[in-house]
Amino acid sequence: MRIAFLVADFPCLSETFVLNQVTGLLDRGHQVDIYTNRVGDWAVSHPDVGRYRLWEHTYPMPEVPQNYLWRLVQGLWLGLGASFRAPGLVARSLNPFIHGEQALNLWLLYTAIALVGRPQAYDIIHCQFGTQGYRGLAFKRLLRPTPQLLLMFRGFDISRYVQEGGDRVYRQLFRHVDYCLANCDFFRQRVLALGWPTDRIAVHFSGLDINKFTFRPRQLEPDQPIRIATTGRLVEKKGLEFAIRAVVQQAQRCPNLTYTIIGDGPLRSDLQQLIVDLQAESYIQLVGWKNEAEIVEILDACHLFVAPSVTAADGNQDAPINVLKEAMAMGLPVLSTYHGGIPELVENGVSGFLVPERDADALAERLGYLLDHPERWPELGMAGRQFVERHFDMQMLNDRLVQVYDRLLAPINRSGPRSSDRTPLSTPSLSSSMRPASAEK
């Protein structure tokens, strides 16, 4: 199959879920091209980027200026050059009688410019976030034969973006989308609430390479400090303020603990000041960004993992986050919150514990239980590892992604490319049966 991935940033260290799908599809013999709004730093990226030479598969899309006059001037200049190489493509992009607003506001023209010199045929346009859907629609309108348009909802695109834009924000786009995926049932329900049909969406978790994370039962050696860790961007929805306060509470009665926070972001100075104000500099550290190998090394030396996600003021929410999966795969008992899609990953009392959002006292209480009962750590860690193996293995999920593509294309192969005549795709095996029992409690 010929697949185009549409993303905002590539390569992006925090979006290994995109990278895992790209490499998985390439390993399975499919052609994948990545169209990105912004090209990241190739020198600071995941090792698989170099291993697969993904810069050879990546194409920047020209920025569409906000100022319409400048958009028109720049578009005409770029379009003039493109028209000599792909006159039919450019002509289609400027036809308002067929394409309406997207032709008039020149989004189609800027998309056509990105496609000049590229294959003029894809089977699947896979938008890695719902917010890429408008650009995906431009691809669908320009390419011949018409490809299938698939939206993947992952978090902010179905939480913050909808809160800002309202319940109708995707309505016009949904008329042209062929299928949707969501990375947890919590977000699947959000998409359904916007009016999307139940038989044209499935849950498709973000996977990880289980083999990269060695399982080790956690045990506390005599006179050994208890090491706690968190990994994530230093932003509001990660809830790190509450984890810091919870650790400080427990440090008053259990002084032999350390807390390492891996990551960076706009709240770093605020969090550092909180640590200073609470006089916790000796045992709580912000260590900044680390690469995958460094993160694995730090987590391997830890006993417990905390992910205190909260709903941000702007509505932003998390799915079952990758850092939790990685910690569970390594055998770390985890402490998190009843937030977004996290209850679909962490089974309360089985692989770790969940508490309400923004409740430092509840976090401290459950953390205290874990500190007092190290004999439970191996059992909790094993349950987490087994759960991740069953539901989040990258190889299994990439096979299922190919099945989704195959089912989308099967009606076309039988009766031609008119998507409006297709029988709706239904993939119950990728939705209801993939939900952990804890998500339904």
Side-chain angles (χ1 to χ4, degrees):
M1 286 178 281
R2 296 159 298 180
I3 304 141
F5 273 19
L6 272 57
V7 297
D9 302 272
F10 191 86
C12 181
L13 277 173
S14 63
E15 295 181 358
T16 54
F17 43 83
V18 174
L19 180 63
N20 289 342
Q21 287 187 352
V22 170
T23 57
L25 291 168
L26 291 172
D27 287 343
R28 287 157 177 77
H30 303 290
Q31 173 189 324
V32 182
D33 290 333
I34 305 154
Y35 291 86
T36 179
N37 296 341
R38 292 172 295 275
V39 177
D41 187 349
W42 296 109
V44 185
S45 59
H46 192 282
D48 280 351
V49 170
R51 190 174 299 122
Y52 286 82
R53 302 177 63 85
L54 292 183
W55 51 82
E56 296 178 357
H57 300 262
T58 303
Y59 305 95
M61 293 184 286
E63 182 180 358
V64 181
Q66 292 295 316
N67 181 282
Y68 189 81
L69 179 59
W70 178 239
R71 184 189 305 181
L72 177 63
V73 172
Q74 179 176 278
L76 290 175
W77 174 255
L78 295 173
L80 183 63
S83 63
F84 289 103
R85 301 175 61 191
L89 180 68
V90 172
R92 284 199 300 276
S93 75
L94 294 172
N95 190 332
F97 300 103
I98 297 177
H99 302 305
E101 181 184 355
Q102 272 202 318
L104 291 171
N105 64 21
L106 301 186
W107 264 80
L108 281 179
L109 175 61
Y110 277 81
T111 304
I113 292 165
L115 286 169
V116 171
R118 301 299 315 133
Q120 294 300 297
Y122 287 104
D123 298 301
I124 302 286
I125 306 299
H126 186 152
C127 301
Q128 283 290 337
F129 290 88
T131 47
Q132 293 293 315
Y134 195 70
R135 180 79 81 166
L137 174 56
F139 273 63
K140 181 171 181 173
R141 283 172 161 166
L142 290 173
L143 296 174
R144 298 292 183 271
T146 304
Q148 300 294 286
L149 178 58
L150 183 149
L151 300 191
M152 178 91 198
F153 289 96
R154 294 188 174 278
F156 82 93
D157 51 356
I158 196 61
S159 57
R160 184 185 73 196
Y161 185 71
V162 174
Q163 178 170 302
E164 293 173 349
D167 291 345
R168 299 172 61 90
V169 70
Y170 287 115
R171 183 159 298 182
Q172 181 179 359
L173 178 63
F174 277 171
R175 299 191 188 110
H176 307 279
V177 173
D178 296 289
Y179 200 64
C180 291
L181 296 173
N183 64 353
C184 61
D185 190 61
F186 180 81
F187 289 143
R188 174 180 174 270
Q189 296 299 329
R190 288 285 184 88
V191 177
L192 294 176
L194 299 182
W196 187 253
T198 57
D199 59 351
R200 291 172 61 198
I201 184 169
V203 172
H204 187 83
F205 292 129
S206 296
L208 72 159
D209 187 347
I210 300 292
N211 296 323
K212 288 184 178 179
F213 303 94
T214 302
F215 173 80
R216 181 173 66 82
R218 304 294 148 157
Q219 295 177 327
L220 185 62
E221 302 298 330
D223 300 321
Q224 183 183 26
I226 299 174
R227 299 185 178 93
I228 308 165
T230 291
T231 305
R233 292 188 65 230
L234 307 188
V235 295
E236 182 189 0
K237 74 172 180 176
K238 298 306 177 182
L240 291 167
E241 170 193 346
F242 305 99
I244 290 170
R245 294 186 184 278
V247 169
V248 169
Q249 284 190 42
Q250 289 302 320
Q252 295 172 4
R253 69 175 191 89
C254 184
N256 66 326
L257 60 77
T258 66
Y259 182 31
T260 302
I261 300 172
I262 307 165
D264 211 335
L267 294 185
R268 179 162 186 166
S269 60
D270 293 340
L271 294 172
Q272 185 61 54
Q273 186 60 52
L274 177 62
I275 293 168
V276 171
D277 292 344
L278 295 174
Q279 300 180 347
E281 307 102 301
S282 62
Y283 57 91
I284 300 180
Q285 287 189 315
L286 303 175
V287 298
W289 285 119
K290 301 294 180 182
N291 62 37
E292 185 178 62
E294 292 170 328
I295 292 173
V296 169
E297 182 179 358
I298 292 172
L299 294 187
D300 190 54
C302 287
H303 302 97
L304 305 171
F305 189 87
V306 182
S309 296
V310 303
T311 302
D314 62 6
N316 203 356
Q317 292 178 303
D318 271 330
I321 50 181
N322 277 358
V323 294
L324 264 174
K325 299 169 197 170
E326 293 166 1
M328 292 166 69
M330 295 180 69
L332 284 157
V334 296
L335 176 58
S336 191
T337 53
Y338 288 106
H339 165 87
I342 288 175
E344 298 173 52
L345 170 61
V346 179
E347 296 176 287
N348 187 44
V350 178
S351 56
F353 293 101
L354 297 173
V355 302
E357 294 185 23
R358 299 180 181 273
D359 192 337
D361 292 339
L363 276 170
E365 188 275 328
R366 286 290 84 187
L367 178 59
Y369 176 87
L370 287 168
L371 296 176
D372 292 341
H373 295 278
E375 74 279 0
R376 288 208 62 192
W377 295 355
E379 149 206 347
L380 295 167
M382 176 58 75
R385 171 71 183 203
Q386 292 174 343
F387 194 88
V388 170
E389 286 180 343
R390 286 198 307 271
H391 298 290
F392 295 95
D393 177 66
M394 181 179 74
Q395 300 301 328
M396 172 192 71
L397 289 168
N398 282 334
D399 286 340
R400 291 191 174 190
L401 182 61
V402 172
Q403 291 172 16
V404 171
Y405 292 165
D406 282 336
R407 293 176 189 177
L408 270 172
L409 295 174
I412 298 175
N413 295 334
R414 290 196 300 267
S415 59
R418 291 182 59 196
S419 60
S420 59
D421 293 339
R422 291 199 315 274
T423 301
L425 174 64
S426 178
T427 56
S429 63
L430 295 180
S431 53
S432 57
S433 65
M434 275 295 292
R435 286 203 304 279
S438 60
E440 299 172 354
K441 291 179 181 177

